[in-house]
Amino acid sequence: MALTLSGLMLYAMWLVLGVMGLSFVVDLFKSFSSSTFSSSTITNYLRDLLYFVFPLFLLSNMMPLDHTDFIIKIAYYIGVLGVLYNYVGGYFKK
């Protein structure tokens, strides 16, 4: 089964990966500058890729099963909003 990201779904995935990447770079810079780098910094982001991005890819691959063409898209966009809320909300809590 091929990855079926198209249109707004593709831009939403780029937004999610961009926010996650930006958060990773900022946290990596903070840990290097304060000399508190550990491997858990990297493994936390790998875990987030598995927990947040992989289900979004699964939803996008399930699109051919949805004949109404909006139920899985709604679930996908809710998932994207949840990931964005998790990362952007984390910046405001710090």
Side-chain angles (χ1 to χ4, degrees):
M1 200 181 273
L3 186 64
T4 57
L5 287 177
S6 61
L8 192 56
M9 291 176 72
L10 180 64
Y11 296 127
M13 182 57 72
W14 276 109
L15 184 64
V16 165
L17 292 175
V19 168
M20 288 180 75
L22 181 65
S23 174
F24 175 70
V25 169
V26 168
D27 287 346
L28 195 64
F29 178 73
K30 284 181 183 178
S31 67
F32 276 139
S33 64
S34 65
S35 300
T36 59
F37 177 75
S38 68
S39 62
S40 66
T41 304
I42 296 172
T43 57
N44 286 339
Y45 283 97
L46 290 175
R47 183 197 51 175
D48 286 349
L49 280 173
L50 181 63
Y51 288 170
F52 296 145
V53 177
F54 185 65
L56 293 176
F57 281 132
L58 286 178
L59 282 172
S60 69
N61 281 329
M62 290 172 50
M63 286 296 297
L65 300 175
D66 183 20
H67 297 292
T68 61
D69 200 37
F70 69 89
I71 295 172
I72 293 182
K73 278 186 182 179
I74 290 172
Y76 179 85
Y77 292 127
I78 289 172
V80 166
L81 289 175
V83 172
L84 291 177
Y85 177 75
N86 184 26
Y87 274 94
V88 174
Y91 283 124
F92 292 120
K93 290 179 184 175
K94 289 182 183 178

